[in-house]
Amino acid sequence: MAQSVYIIASECGNGLSMVALGLMQAMGKNGGTAFFRPVIEDPKAGQPDPAIDLIRKHFALEQSYEDSFAFTMSQARELLEGGKQETFIDTVLDKCKGLQKKYGSVLCLGTKNDEDCLFEFDLNARLAADLGASAFLLLGGKTADGIVKAGGYRLAQLREKAVDVLGCFLNSAGLDDAGQRKVAAGLAPCPVRALPVDASLAPDKAVALFASNMDLQELARSIAEHHSSIVTPKMFEYSLVERAQKHAMRIVLPEGQEERILRAAEILCQRHVAQITLLGDVPAIEAKIKDLGLTIDATLIDPEKSADFEDYVATYAELRKAKGVTLEKAREIMRDATYYGTMMVHKNAADGMVSGSINTTAHTIRPSFEFIKTKPGVSIVSSTFFVCLKDKVMVFADCAVNPNPTAEQLASIAISSAETAQIFGVDPKIAMLSYSTGTSGKGPDVDMVVEAVAIAREKAPELLLEGPLQYDAAVDMGVAGTKLPGSKVAGKATVLIFPDLNTGNNTYKAVQRSANALAIGPVLQGLNKPVNDLSRGATVADIVNTVAITAIQAQAEKGLLA
């Protein structure tokens, strides 16, 4: 079922209350439904929001008034105009998702668009998209032609903003049957349901009038049976935090004195994303936290002064004795916070590690190669990026670790990437990329991909995998229909495997910048336990995302994923 439904007014909000009453009546037949307004009008003389008051009283909802909205319009404008968009969106998501968890489904009612139509329509569209809500658009106007023109424009705007549109409600006051039919035809294939709005009616009569205009059972069924495939970047980011919160994993951050790490640690601790350990000079970390005005409920460890230091030294010396590592050398190495943090993961004192905000990639992952090692059956450690487009998430690999993988290694990367995709809710349809599609081209580079495809199919015959494919044939249905008709992957690929690092790294960055996509990663895969690397230009949000990803990988390793 569409767990959240959002009502958006095309222009003014005439009819919003009636539609809200009617939809609550229809959705209530499927079980518990909560009511939520992300933004309410600024209250007058302490009076409650009229729509919330109406719905709560008429349906005798148990939810509190305070749980029924996130912000007043003045508060929303202050946050959005003050550069605090993330705070605004996260608060709305937290409140709506909280109702959804408690009641099962949520009906969201947008603002009325009375004063600033463009701002409020954009605001409601963005909220509907990021909430993952299916939307109904409320239309009104004096002429059928005018309604079709305005409605078509608004529908195009909603789709451009990745809003999943279920249909339109038409305030049909002033339109005869012919006019209503003209609107329905003009906005097809989007379903249009007409209703004669009367704002003066009592709630029970308004519901009865709504029901007399349309089939409530059909409406309820269309909502219940609807499944949207749209995933916005914000939805994906929120889902990472939400999934990590289910089982708080122990994540160690070796760069404990770095400001971005500390700011991320505050968010991670306050939102209960993970149990955080910070490594470094403890008094220096404490002083930095105080100077920054942060509140961080984390464990602080100075590696060399810890009770586990000599045990870790002995363990490292034993593991590396074949490489000539002595106790003295091991003691020197274990003073390094990255080695110490990796040893915490190895010794099960932590479930995962994230580093790299000030350390190089090589320095971050070298200890993992030395003693965490690869999973059984995995020949190579590789990386993926989650590339979040406006309406979907794709997995790109390998874009950070292996310059020139062999066919055997490329097959292993594909299989690992499919596993990573599944862990994070992406249905893997794997495209092995090349400059040629199918049998259209020849050469050693194409032959290598052909061989990798054969190896991957032999090792994991259950995977949907196709190659060689060009990028356009992998992601565009029209091109796929011409170049490789009948393929179960071409045109629908969600996991893209690049033939080398040069291609992969440049492509993910090109998509990130040109399509304004969110790229989350690199996410290391193939290791026995999760260790992930940050870009040295990582933002606080990047660090939060990477820690959440590492926590989810740790959950998967421990069999804790649902």
Side-chain angles (χ1 to χ4, degrees):
M1 163 177 190
Q3 292 182 307
S4 295
V5 173
Y6 203 115
I7 308 169
I8 301 176
S10 174
E11 304 295 341
C12 68
N14 292 336
L16 275 177
S17 293
M18 177 180 281
V19 173
L21 285 163
L23 279 175
M24 280 295 291
Q25 181 75 11
M27 293 174 67
K29 295 181 182 298
N30 296 318
T33 299
F35 183 74
F36 182 62
R37 296 203 80 179
V39 181
I40 62 173
E41 310 301 323
D42 292 321
K44 298 177 181 178
Q47 295 181 349
D49 178 76
I52 294 176
D53 197 43
L54 171 70
I55 297 294
R56 287 181 68 238
K57 287 179 179 178
H58 183 72
F59 293 98
L61 299 183
E62 295 179 358
Q63 67 187 76
S64 70
Y65 178 75
E66 290 72 23
D67 286 342
S68 303
F69 73 97
F71 297 103
T72 65
M73 182 57 74
S74 294
Q75 292 170 335
R77 282 186 177 275
E78 183 178 353
L79 287 170
L80 293 171
E81 292 169 4
K84 297 183 178 179
Q85 292 90 345
E86 293 301 309
T87 299
F88 172 76
I89 292 289
D90 285 341
T91 302
V92 172
L93 280 166
D94 284 340
K95 297 205 78 168
C96 185
K97 295 296 185 181
L99 289 172
Q100 192 170 296
K101 289 175 184 176
K102 188 172 183 180
Y103 296 98
S105 59
V106 181
L107 176 63
C108 302
L109 183 62
T111 55
K112 293 178 66 176
N113 290 353
D114 284 342
E115 296 183 6
D116 191 341
C117 188
L118 180 60
F119 169 79
E120 293 190 37
F121 185 84
D122 285 346
L123 175 65
N124 288 312
R126 178 180 178 183
L127 289 173
D130 285 338
L131 286 169
S134 298
F136 283 105
L137 179 64
L138 175 60
L139 302 171
K142 295 181 179 179
T143 67
D145 287 338
I147 294 171
V148 168
K149 182 177 180 180
Y153 176 67
R154 289 303 195 195
L155 287 171
Q157 284 184 304
L158 291 177
R159 288 169 181 140
E160 174 63 26
K161 296 178 186 298
V163 177
D164 175 43
V165 180
L166 260 175
C168 296
F169 289 109
L170 170 64
N171 181 350
S172 58
L175 287 181
D176 57 18
D177 289 346
Q180 294 175 31
R181 289 194 296 272
K182 188 172 186 179
V183 171
L187 296 179
C190 182
V192 177
R193 298 174 173 89
L195 60 148
V197 172
D198 186 346
S200 66
L201 290 177
D204 56 344
K205 292 185 178 179
V207 171
L209 181 59
F210 184 93
S212 70
N213 279 263
M214 59 198 67
D215 185 338
L216 286 188
Q217 289 187 335
E218 182 276 329
L219 180 59
R221 186 171 55 253
S222 68
I223 294 172
E225 294 177 354
H226 184 75
H227 299 281
S228 174
S229 61
I230 292 175
V231 180
T232 68
K234 190 62 188 178
M235 285 171 63
F236 186 70
E237 285 185 296
Y238 190 87
S239 74
L240 294 177
V241 170
E242 195 173 36
R243 293 178 68 191
Q245 289 170 332
K246 291 181 179 178
H247 302 282
M249 297 288 101
R250 303 162 300 165
I251 306 300
V252 59
L253 306 177
E255 300 158 327
Q257 291 172 238
E258 162 62 27
E259 179 176 339
R260 290 166 295 160
I261 293 291
L262 293 175
R263 292 192 182 279
E266 181 182 56
I267 296 169
L268 292 161
C269 293
Q270 289 179 348
R271 301 195 71 182
H272 306 290
V273 178
Q275 300 175 50
I276 298 298
T277 297
L278 298 169
L279 301 184
D281 183 300
V282 172
I285 295 174
E286 291 173 335
K288 190 72 171 284
I289 290 171
K290 184 177 180 180
D291 289 344
L292 293 171
L294 304 177
T295 301
I296 302 176
D297 181 20
T299 300
L300 309 184
I301 296 177
D302 184 328
E304 193 170 4
K305 295 179 182 178
S306 75
D308 295 317
F309 183 72
E310 289 301 328
D311 175 55
Y312 288 7
V313 167
T315 300
Y316 183 76
E318 176 64 24
L319 290 170
R320 302 290 288 173
K321 64 183 180 182
K323 298 292 184 180
V325 174
T326 63
L327 276 175
E328 187 58 36
K329 181 65 175 176
R331 191 169 286 110
E332 177 187 340
I333 289 173
M334 206 49 58
R335 292 187 183 103
D336 183 284
T338 302
Y339 270 89
Y340 187 94
T342 308
M343 186 60 76
M344 286 181 68
V345 177
H346 176 72
K347 300 279 283 188
N348 201 35
D351 300 309
M353 186 185 82
V354 173
S355 188
S357 68
I358 53 178
N359 287 304
T360 65
T361 294
H363 187 77
T364 297
I365 64 177
R366 185 184 299 114
S368 302
F369 291 164
E370 289 184 6
F371 53 89
I372 285 185
K373 306 290 188 179
T374 59
K375 294 178 181 178
V378 176
S379 65
I380 190 171
V381 174
S382 58
S383 72
T384 61
F385 277 85
F386 294 106
V387 178
C388 306
L389 303 172
K390 68 177 182 179
D391 58 354
K392 62 183 176 181
V393 177
M394 302 185 74
V395 175
F396 285 21
D398 178 1
C399 303
V401 178
N402 299 289
N404 292 290
T406 65
E408 178 76 30
Q409 291 171 334
L410 202 61
S412 181
I413 291 169
I415 294 168
S416 292
S417 299
E419 181 182 345
T420 298
Q422 288 176 320
I423 288 172
F424 291 94
V426 178
D427 182 24
K429 296 181 176 66
I430 308 160
M432 307 286 278
L433 298 181
S434 178
Y435 61 76
S436 168
T437 295
T439 58
S440 65
K442 298 186 181 300
D445 292 337
V446 177
D447 293 341
M448 192 266 286
V449 175
V450 170
E451 184 183 354
V453 169
I455 295 169
R457 284 176 173 164
E458 181 179 356
K459 289 187 172 182
E462 73 283 0
L463 293 179
L464 277 178
L465 184 145
E466 189 79 74
L469 283 173
Q470 291 161 288
Y471 188 99
D472 57 353
V475 301
D476 187 288
M477 287 294 293
V479 175
T482 300
K483 292 189 173 183
L484 206 67
S487 170
K488 293 181 180 180
V489 173
K492 303 182 285 289
T494 58
V495 178
L496 304 184
I497 308 300
F498 296 92
D500 54 58
L501 185 58
N502 185 38
T503 307
N505 190 269
N506 277 294
T507 302
Y508 105 77
K509 288 182 177 177
V511 173
Q512 178 187 26
R513 301 301 179 186
S514 300
N516 195 27
L518 172 67
I520 301 176
V523 179
L524 296 184
Q525 55 189 14
L527 288 168
N528 268 315
K529 294 184 178 182
V531 170
N532 279 309
D533 176 43
L534 296 166
S535 162
R536 276 170 283 177
T539 64
V540 171
D542 293 333
I543 297 166
V544 171
N545 286 337
T546 303
V547 170
I549 284 170
T550 307
I552 294 167
Q553 287 179 307
Q555 291 172 358
E557 294 295 334
K558 295 176 183 296
L560 295 175
L561 294 184

Short mmCIF file of all heavy atoms in Angstrom, two decimals, residues 412-462:
data_model
loop_
_atom_site.label_atom_id
_atom_site.label_comp_id
_atom_site.label_asym_id
_atom_site.label_seq_id
_atom_site.Cartn_x
_atom_site.Cartn_y
_atom_site.Cartn_z
N SER A 412 34.12 -10.96 -10.01
CA SER A 412 34.00 -10.89 -8.56
C SER A 412 33.41 -9.55 -8.12
O SER A 412 32.57 -9.49 -7.21
CB SER A 412 35.37 -11.09 -7.91
OG SER A 412 35.28 -11.06 -6.50
N ILE A 413 33.84 -8.47 -8.77
CA ILE A 413 33.30 -7.14 -8.46
C ILE A 413 31.79 -7.11 -8.73
O ILE A 413 31.02 -6.55 -7.95
CB ILE A 413 34.03 -6.06 -9.28
CG1 ILE A 413 35.48 -5.92 -8.80
CG2 ILE A 413 33.31 -4.71 -9.19
CD1 ILE A 413 36.35 -5.08 -9.70
N ALA A 414 31.37 -7.70 -9.83
CA ALA A 414 29.94 -7.73 -10.17
C ALA A 414 29.13 -8.48 -9.11
O ALA A 414 28.06 -8.02 -8.68
CB ALA A 414 29.74 -8.37 -11.54
N ILE A 415 29.63 -9.62 -8.67
CA ILE A 415 28.92 -10.43 -7.68
C ILE A 415 28.87 -9.70 -6.33
O ILE A 415 27.83 -9.66 -5.66
CB ILE A 415 29.58 -11.81 -7.55
CG1 ILE A 415 29.42 -12.59 -8.86
CG2 ILE A 415 28.98 -12.59 -6.39
CD1 ILE A 415 30.26 -13.85 -8.95
N SER A 416 29.99 -9.11 -5.93
CA SER A 416 30.02 -8.34 -4.68
C SER A 416 29.07 -7.14 -4.75
O SER A 416 28.38 -6.82 -3.77
CB SER A 416 31.44 -7.85 -4.38
OG SER A 416 32.30 -8.91 -4.06
N SER A 417 29.03 -6.49 -5.89
CA SER A 417 28.18 -5.31 -6.05
C SER A 417 26.70 -5.68 -5.98
O SER A 417 25.88 -4.91 -5.45
CB SER A 417 28.48 -4.60 -7.37
OG SER A 417 29.82 -4.17 -7.41
N ALA A 418 26.36 -6.85 -6.52
CA ALA A 418 24.98 -7.32 -6.43
C ALA A 418 24.59 -7.55 -4.97
O ALA A 418 23.48 -7.19 -4.54
CB ALA A 418 24.80 -8.61 -7.23
N GLU A 419 25.51 -8.12 -4.20
CA GLU A 419 25.24 -8.34 -2.78
C GLU A 419 25.08 -7.01 -2.05
O GLU A 419 24.16 -6.84 -1.22
CB GLU A 419 26.39 -9.13 -2.15
CG GLU A 419 26.19 -9.42 -0.67
CD GLU A 419 27.37 -10.17 -0.07
OE1 GLU A 419 28.20 -10.69 -0.82
OE2 GLU A 419 27.45 -10.23 1.18
N THR A 420 25.95 -6.04 -2.34
CA THR A 420 25.83 -4.72 -1.73
C THR A 420 24.50 -4.07 -2.09
O THR A 420 23.82 -3.50 -1.23
CB THR A 420 26.99 -3.81 -2.19
OG1 THR A 420 28.23 -4.39 -1.75
CG2 THR A 420 26.86 -2.42 -1.62
N ALA A 421 24.12 -4.15 -3.35
CA ALA A 421 22.84 -3.57 -3.78
C ALA A 421 21.68 -4.17 -2.99
O ALA A 421 20.80 -3.44 -2.50
CB ALA A 421 22.65 -3.80 -5.28
N GLN A 422 21.67 -5.48 -2.84
CA GLN A 422 20.58 -6.14 -2.12
C GLN A 422 20.52 -5.71 -0.67
O GLN A 422 19.44 -5.49 -0.12
CB GLN A 422 20.73 -7.65 -2.22
CG GLN A 422 20.40 -8.20 -3.61
CD GLN A 422 20.66 -9.70 -3.72
OE1 GLN A 422 21.64 -10.20 -3.20
NE2 GLN A 422 19.77 -10.40 -4.41
N ILE A 423 21.68 -5.58 -0.03
CA ILE A 423 21.73 -5.16 1.38
C ILE A 423 21.06 -3.80 1.55
O ILE A 423 20.37 -3.56 2.54
CB ILE A 423 23.18 -5.11 1.88
CG1 ILE A 423 23.74 -6.53 2.04
CG2 ILE A 423 23.29 -4.36 3.21
CD1 ILE A 423 25.22 -6.58 2.34
N PHE A 424 21.23 -2.93 0.55
CA PHE A 424 20.71 -1.58 0.68
C PHE A 424 19.42 -1.34 -0.11
O PHE A 424 19.06 -0.20 -0.40
CB PHE A 424 21.80 -0.58 0.28
CG PHE A 424 22.91 -0.54 1.28
CD1 PHE A 424 24.05 -1.33 1.10
CD2 PHE A 424 22.83 0.23 2.41
CE1 PHE A 424 25.07 -1.32 2.03
CE2 PHE A 424 23.85 0.24 3.35
CZ PHE A 424 24.97 -0.54 3.16
N GLY A 425 18.72 -2.40 -0.43
CA GLY A 425 17.38 -2.27 -1.00
C GLY A 425 17.31 -1.96 -2.47
O GLY A 425 16.26 -1.54 -2.96
N VAL A 426 18.41 -2.14 -3.20
CA VAL A 426 18.41 -1.93 -4.65
C VAL A 426 18.33 -3.29 -5.33
O VAL A 426 19.21 -4.14 -5.14
CB VAL A 426 19.68 -1.18 -5.11
CG1 VAL A 426 19.68 -1.02 -6.63
CG2 VAL A 426 19.77 0.18 -4.43
N ASP A 427 17.30 -3.52 -6.12
CA ASP A 427 17.12 -4.78 -6.83
C ASP A 427 18.19 -4.88 -7.92
O ASP A 427 18.17 -4.11 -8.89
CB ASP A 427 15.73 -4.84 -7.44
CG ASP A 427 15.46 -6.16 -8.16
OD1 ASP A 427 16.12 -7.16 -7.81
OD2 ASP A 427 14.60 -6.18 -9.06
N PRO A 428 19.15 -5.81 -7.81
CA PRO A 428 20.29 -5.80 -8.73
C PRO A 428 19.96 -6.33 -10.12
O PRO A 428 19.63 -7.49 -10.31
CB PRO A 428 21.32 -6.68 -8.03
CG PRO A 428 20.54 -7.59 -7.16
CD PRO A 428 19.30 -6.84 -6.76
N LYS A 429 20.05 -5.44 -11.09
CA LYS A 429 20.04 -5.80 -12.51
C LYS A 429 21.37 -5.28 -13.04
O LYS A 429 21.57 -4.08 -13.18
CB LYS A 429 18.85 -5.16 -13.23
CG LYS A 429 17.49 -5.65 -12.75
CD LYS A 429 16.37 -4.98 -13.54
CE LYS A 429 15.01 -5.52 -13.15
NZ LYS A 429 14.63 -5.21 -11.76
N ILE A 430 22.28 -6.21 -13.34
CA ILE A 430 23.69 -5.87 -13.50
C ILE A 430 24.07 -5.72 -14.96
O ILE A 430 23.89 -6.65 -15.76
CB ILE A 430 24.58 -6.94 -12.85
CG1 ILE A 430 24.13 -7.19 -11.41
CG2 ILE A 430 26.04 -6.54 -12.88
CD1 ILE A 430 24.59 -8.51 -10.86
N ALA A 431 24.64 -4.56 -15.29
CA ALA A 431 25.15 -4.31 -16.64
C ALA A 431 26.67 -4.27 -16.59
O ALA A 431 27.25 -3.46 -15.86
CB ALA A 431 24.60 -3.00 -17.18
N MET A 432 27.31 -5.15 -17.35
CA MET A 432 28.77 -5.14 -17.48
C MET A 432 29.11 -4.25 -18.68
O MET A 432 28.83 -4.60 -19.83
CB MET A 432 29.28 -6.56 -17.70
CG MET A 432 28.82 -7.57 -16.65
SD MET A 432 29.64 -7.38 -15.08
CE MET A 432 31.17 -8.26 -15.41
N LEU A 433 29.68 -3.09 -18.40
CA LEU A 433 29.80 -2.04 -19.41
C LEU A 433 31.05 -2.19 -20.28
O LEU A 433 32.09 -2.68 -19.84
CB LEU A 433 29.81 -0.68 -18.74
CG LEU A 433 28.55 -0.31 -17.96
CD1 LEU A 433 28.68 1.09 -17.38
CD2 LEU A 433 27.30 -0.41 -18.82
N SER A 434 30.90 -1.72 -21.52
CA SER A 434 31.99 -1.71 -22.49
C SER A 434 31.66 -0.65 -23.53
O SER A 434 30.63 0.00 -23.45
CB SER A 434 32.14 -3.09 -23.13
OG SER A 434 33.17 -3.08 -24.10
N TYR A 435 32.54 -0.49 -24.51
CA TYR A 435 32.24 0.44 -25.60
C TYR A 435 31.41 -0.23 -26.69
O TYR A 435 31.13 0.35 -27.73
CB TYR A 435 33.52 1.03 -26.20
CG TYR A 435 34.49 0.04 -26.80
CD1 TYR A 435 34.25 -0.54 -28.06
CD2 TYR A 435 35.66 -0.30 -26.15
CE1 TYR A 435 35.16 -1.42 -28.62
CE2 TYR A 435 36.56 -1.18 -26.70
CZ TYR A 435 36.31 -1.75 -27.94
OH TYR A 435 37.21 -2.64 -28.48
N SER A 436 30.99 -1.47 -26.44
CA SER A 436 30.23 -2.23 -27.42
C SER A 436 29.04 -2.89 -26.72
O SER A 436 29.12 -3.26 -25.54
CB SER A 436 31.12 -3.30 -28.06
OG SER A 436 30.37 -4.23 -28.79
N THR A 437 27.93 -3.03 -27.44
CA THR A 437 26.76 -3.73 -26.93
C THR A 437 26.58 -5.04 -27.67
O THR A 437 26.58 -5.06 -28.91
CB THR A 437 25.49 -2.87 -27.07
OG1 THR A 437 25.61 -1.71 -26.25
CG2 THR A 437 24.25 -3.65 -26.66
N GLY A 438 26.44 -6.13 -26.90
CA GLY A 438 26.24 -7.43 -27.53
C GLY A 438 27.45 -7.83 -28.35
O GLY A 438 28.59 -7.77 -27.88
N THR A 439 27.20 -8.19 -29.58
CA THR A 439 28.28 -8.66 -30.47
C THR A 439 28.65 -7.61 -31.52
O THR A 439 29.25 -7.93 -32.53
CB THR A 439 27.84 -9.95 -31.19
OG1 THR A 439 26.63 -9.69 -31.93
CG2 THR A 439 27.60 -11.07 -30.19
N SER A 440 28.29 -6.33 -31.24
CA SER A 440 28.49 -5.29 -32.27
C SER A 440 29.94 -4.86 -32.41
O SER A 440 30.32 -4.30 -33.43
CB SER A 440 27.65 -4.06 -31.93
OG SER A 440 28.09 -3.46 -30.73
N GLY A 441 30.76 -5.11 -31.42
CA GLY A 441 32.14 -4.67 -31.51
C GLY A 441 33.11 -5.77 -31.12
O GLY A 441 32.74 -6.76 -30.49
N LYS A 442 34.37 -5.58 -31.48
CA LYS A 442 35.40 -6.57 -31.16
C LYS A 442 36.65 -5.86 -30.64
O LYS A 442 36.81 -4.67 -30.80
CB LYS A 442 35.74 -7.41 -32.39
CG LYS A 442 34.56 -8.21 -32.93
CD LYS A 442 35.00 -9.13 -34.05
CE LYS A 442 33.83 -9.92 -34.62
NZ LYS A 442 33.16 -10.75 -33.61
N GLY A 443 37.53 -6.64 -30.02
CA GLY A 443 38.77 -6.09 -29.49
C GLY A 443 39.04 -6.68 -28.13
O GLY A 443 38.16 -7.24 -27.48
N PRO A 444 40.27 -6.56 -27.63
CA PRO A 444 40.65 -7.18 -26.35
C PRO A 444 39.85 -6.66 -25.16
O PRO A 444 39.55 -7.41 -24.24
CB PRO A 444 42.15 -6.84 -26.23
CG PRO A 444 42.40 -5.74 -27.20
CD PRO A 444 41.42 -5.92 -28.30
N ASP A 445 39.49 -5.36 -25.17
CA ASP A 445 38.72 -4.82 -24.04
C ASP A 445 37.31 -5.41 -24.00
O ASP A 445 36.79 -5.72 -22.93
CB ASP A 445 38.63 -3.29 -24.15
CG ASP A 445 39.98 -2.62 -23.92
OD1 ASP A 445 40.84 -3.25 -23.27
OD2 ASP A 445 40.16 -1.48 -24.38
N VAL A 446 36.71 -5.56 -25.18
CA VAL A 446 35.38 -6.18 -25.25
C VAL A 446 35.48 -7.65 -24.86
O VAL A 446 34.64 -8.17 -24.11
CB VAL A 446 34.77 -6.03 -26.66
CG1 VAL A 446 33.43 -6.74 -26.74
CG2 VAL A 446 34.62 -4.56 -27.02
N ASP A 447 36.50 -8.31 -25.34
CA ASP A 447 36.67 -9.74 -25.04
C ASP A 447 36.81 -9.97 -23.54
O ASP A 447 36.31 -10.96 -23.00
CB ASP A 447 37.91 -10.29 -25.75
CG ASP A 447 37.76 -10.31 -27.27
OD1 ASP A 447 36.60 -10.25 -27.74
OD2 ASP A 447 38.78 -10.37 -27.98
N MET A 448 37.48 -9.05 -22.87
CA MET A 448 37.65 -9.18 -21.42
C MET A 448 36.30 -9.11 -20.70
O MET A 448 36.03 -9.87 -19.77
CB MET A 448 38.58 -8.07 -20.91
CG MET A 448 39.05 -8.28 -19.47
SD MET A 448 38.02 -7.43 -18.28
CE MET A 448 38.51 -5.74 -18.53
N VAL A 449 35.42 -8.22 -21.14
CA VAL A 449 34.09 -8.10 -20.53
C VAL A 449 33.25 -9.33 -20.84
O VAL A 449 32.54 -9.84 -19.97
CB VAL A 449 33.39 -6.81 -21.00
CG1 VAL A 449 31.96 -6.75 -20.46
CG2 VAL A 449 34.17 -5.57 -20.56
N VAL A 450 33.36 -9.83 -22.06
CA VAL A 450 32.63 -11.06 -22.43
C VAL A 450 33.06 -12.21 -21.51
O VAL A 450 32.23 -12.98 -21.02
CB VAL A 450 32.89 -11.42 -23.91
CG1 VAL A 450 32.35 -12.81 -24.23
CG2 VAL A 450 32.26 -10.38 -24.84
N GLU A 451 34.36 -12.32 -21.29
CA GLU A 451 34.86 -13.37 -20.40
C GLU A 451 34.37 -13.17 -18.97
O GLU A 451 33.98 -14.13 -18.29
CB GLU A 451 36.39 -13.38 -20.44
CG GLU A 451 37.01 -14.51 -19.61
CD GLU A 451 38.52 -14.48 -19.60
OE1 GLU A 451 39.11 -13.64 -20.33
OE2 GLU A 451 39.12 -15.27 -18.85
N ALA A 452 34.37 -11.92 -18.50
CA ALA A 452 33.90 -11.63 -17.14
C ALA A 452 32.43 -11.98 -16.97
O ALA A 452 32.03 -12.53 -15.93
CB ALA A 452 34.13 -10.14 -16.82
N VAL A 453 31.63 -11.72 -17.99
CA VAL A 453 30.21 -12.07 -17.95
C VAL A 453 30.04 -13.58 -17.82
O VAL A 453 29.24 -14.08 -17.00
CB VAL A 453 29.48 -11.54 -19.20
CG1 VAL A 453 28.08 -12.14 -19.30
CG2 VAL A 453 29.42 -10.02 -19.18
N ALA A 454 30.81 -14.33 -18.61
CA ALA A 454 30.72 -15.79 -18.56
C ALA A 454 31.10 -16.33 -17.18
O ALA A 454 30.44 -17.22 -16.63
CB ALA A 454 31.61 -16.40 -19.64
N ILE A 455 32.16 -15.78 -16.58
CA ILE A 455 32.61 -16.21 -15.25
C ILE A 455 31.55 -15.89 -14.20
O ILE A 455 31.22 -16.72 -13.34
CB ILE A 455 33.96 -15.55 -14.90
CG1 ILE A 455 35.06 -16.02 -15.85
CG2 ILE A 455 34.34 -15.85 -13.46
CD1 ILE A 455 36.35 -15.22 -15.74
N ALA A 456 31.02 -14.66 -14.26
CA ALA A 456 30.01 -14.25 -13.27
C ALA A 456 28.76 -15.11 -13.37
O ALA A 456 28.17 -15.50 -12.35
CB ALA A 456 29.67 -12.78 -13.47
N ARG A 457 28.33 -15.42 -14.59
CA ARG A 457 27.14 -16.26 -14.76
C ARG A 457 27.37 -17.67 -14.25
O ARG A 457 26.46 -18.30 -13.69
CB ARG A 457 26.74 -16.29 -16.24
CG ARG A 457 26.05 -15.02 -16.70
CD ARG A 457 25.76 -15.04 -18.18
NE ARG A 457 24.95 -13.90 -18.60
CZ ARG A 457 24.79 -13.50 -19.86
NH1 ARG A 457 25.40 -14.18 -20.84
NH2 ARG A 457 24.04 -12.45 -20.14
N GLU A 458 28.58 -18.18 -14.40
CA GLU A 458 28.88 -19.51 -13.90
C GLU A 458 28.89 -19.53 -12.37
O GLU A 458 28.39 -20.46 -11.74
CB GLU A 458 30.23 -19.97 -14.44
CG GLU A 458 30.62 -21.38 -13.99
CD GLU A 458 31.95 -21.83 -14.55
OE1 GLU A 458 32.54 -21.08 -15.36
OE2 GLU A 458 32.41 -22.92 -14.17
N LYS A 459 29.46 -18.48 -11.76
CA LYS A 459 29.57 -18.44 -10.30
C LYS A 459 28.27 -18.04 -9.62
O LYS A 459 28.01 -18.46 -8.48
CB LYS A 459 30.67 -17.45 -9.89
CG LYS A 459 32.08 -17.92 -10.21
CD LYS A 459 33.12 -16.98 -9.62
CE LYS A 459 34.52 -17.55 -9.78
NZ LYS A 459 35.56 -16.67 -9.17
N ALA A 460 27.47 -17.22 -10.27
CA ALA A 460 26.21 -16.75 -9.67
C ALA A 460 25.10 -16.75 -10.71
O ALA A 460 24.66 -15.69 -11.17
CB ALA A 460 26.41 -15.36 -9.09
N PRO A 461 24.65 -17.95 -11.11
CA PRO A 461 23.67 -18.05 -12.19
C PRO A 461 22.32 -17.42 -11.86
O PRO A 461 21.51 -17.17 -12.75
CB PRO A 461 23.53 -19.56 -12.40
CG PRO A 461 23.99 -20.17 -11.11
CD PRO A 461 25.04 -19.27 -10.58
N GLU A 462 22.07 -17.17 -10.56
CA GLU A 462 20.78 -16.59 -10.16
C GLU A 462 20.69 -15.09 -10.45
O GLU A 462 19.58 -14.51 -10.44
CB GLU A 462 20.56 -16.82 -8.65
CG GLU A 462 21.41 -15.96 -7.72
CD GLU A 462 22.85 -16.43 -7.57
OE1 GLU A 462 23.24 -17.44 -8.21
OE2 GLU A 462 23.59 -15.79 -6.81
#
